[in-house]
């Protein structure tokens, strides 16, 4: 079977791509505007380069065509904290994807506690093992309603339990496979 992308709908393209490009990492992004903490997951998310240390995340619009709160906040404050999702956070991560009015925080609505780590960046989700503190770098032009944003990683939090002084990091992140989820575990490499 050849799937010709010219012949299928946007929903079908999403379905095919999200079940093929697997697993997709999840950026659980925390932003802050007017003291309101916004939390939402994004899996059109991937590293771009280590030099400069950058990631890209594509963020869409709400049904009313306004930019999603995460996109609006990054454009305004130029800051984002990307948390990696542990198994214990799966339910809260899914809840935080619900569309809420911009002045309502997912942290209060769904009782998702956060922890302040750095003064000048949004907090991390409490209990997350690693998070990247990022600055807005640039938007990428792409036809359509999704805006790819390049973020530059300025520093990273790692729970002492999952890393050592040689920067060996042992995370078990939740990622996405189609509509479902997976946990990343290392596979032994004997070659
Ligand atoms: C696992 C997962 C991955 C998602 N990935 C994306 C994504 O890459 N881009 C996007 O625009 N929305 C994505 N969403 C939907 C957003 O999380 C959702 O629209 C959310 O309400 C946006 O919140 P905000 O308006 O507070 O930014 C994803 C949802 C889930 C559950």
């Amino acid at each position: 079977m050849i799937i010709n992308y010219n012949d299928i709908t946007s929903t079908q393209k999403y379905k095919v791509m999200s079940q093929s490009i697997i697993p997709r990492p999840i950026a659980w992004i925390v932003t802050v505007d007017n003291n309101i903490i916004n939390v939402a997951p994004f899996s059109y998310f991937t590293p771009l380069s280590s030099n400069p240390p950058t990631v890209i995340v594509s963020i869409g619009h709400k049904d009313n065509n306004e930019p999603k709160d995460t996109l609006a906040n990054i454009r305004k404050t130029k800051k984002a904290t990307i948390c990696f999702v542990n198994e214990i956070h799966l339910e809260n991560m899914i809840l935080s994807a619900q569309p809420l009015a911009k002045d309502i925080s997912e942290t209060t609505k769904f009782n998702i506690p956060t922890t302040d780590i750095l003064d000048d960046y949004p907090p991390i989700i409490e209990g997350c093992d690693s998070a990247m503190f990022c600055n807005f770098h640039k938007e990428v032009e792409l036809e359509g309603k999704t805006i790819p944003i390049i973020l530059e990683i300025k520093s990273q939090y790692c729970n002492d339990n999952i890393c050592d002084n040689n920067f060996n990091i042992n995370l078990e992140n939740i990622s996405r496979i189609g509509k479902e989820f997976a946990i990343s575990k290392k596979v032994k490499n004997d070659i």
Side-chain angles (χ1 to χ4, degrees):
M1 175 182 188
I2 299 290
I3 302 170
N4 186 333
Y5 276 51
N6 286 328
D7 297 338
I8 58 175
T9 65
S10 299
T11 309
Q12 288 166 332
K13 284 173 203 157
Y14 176 79
K15 195 171 173 185
V16 174
M17 287 175 68
S18 67
Q19 292 173 103
S20 308
I21 304 165
I22 56 168
R24 273 189 303 155
I26 298 173
W28 203 12
I29 301 188
V30 186
T31 51
V32 180
D33 180 30
N34 282 332
N35 289 323
I36 298 169
I37 301 174
N38 194 88
V39 182
F42 297 89
S43 51
Y44 273 95
F45 163 60
T46 202
L48 265 190
S49 172
S50 310
N51 187 17
T54 41
V55 297
I56 192 160
V57 53
S58 291
I59 308 179
H61 287 74
K62 298 184 180 187
D63 287 345
N64 65 6
N65 274 335
E66 283 178 9
K68 291 187 182 180
D69 298 341
T70 303
L71 177 59
N73 288 355
I74 292 174
R75 281 173 166 164
K76 185 172 167 188
T77 67
K78 316 292 184 206
K79 298 274 169 86
T81 296
I82 299 178
C83 296
F84 295 100
V85 182
N86 300 339
E87 200 174 358
I88 56 160
H89 288 129
L90 180 59
E91 194 184 335
N92 279 344
M93 181 273 290
I94 294 169
L95 285 171
S96 72
Q98 287 185 27
L100 299 183
K102 194 165 184 311
D103 57 355
I104 298 176
S105 172
E106 291 77 12
T107 60
T108 44
K109 173 90 180 170
F110 304 117
N111 198 14
I112 303 174
T114 58
T115 308
D116 290 323
I117 301 283
L118 296 180
D119 286 345
D120 46 355
Y121 284 90
I124 66 167
I125 306 292
E126 191 178 289
C128 94
D129 280 329
S130 188
M132 293 167 159
F133 301 101
C134 301
N135 287 2
F136 171 79
H137 183 69
K138 64 166 79 153
E139 288 185 17
V140 176
E141 234 175 85
L142 185 72
E143 304 77 18
K145 282 179 66 182
T146 308
I147 313 288
I149 299 251
I150 299 177
L151 297 168
E152 182 171 357
I153 307 160
K154 300 308 268 186
S155 51
Q156 180 163 349
Y157 163 77
C158 286
N159 183 328
D160 289 345
N161 296 335
I162 58 97
C163 71
D164 66 21
N165 290 337
N166 286 327
F167 305 113
N168 296 307
I169 295 179
N170 195 8
L171 281 170
E172 290 188 356
N173 292 338
I174 294 286
S175 56
R176 203 170 199 200
I177 296 185
K179 280 187 175 166
E180 280 136 336
F181 299 95
I183 303 179
S184 62
K185 285 196 193 249
K186 285 183 184 162
V187 176
K188 203 159 176 264
N189 181 359
D190 289 328
I191 302 166

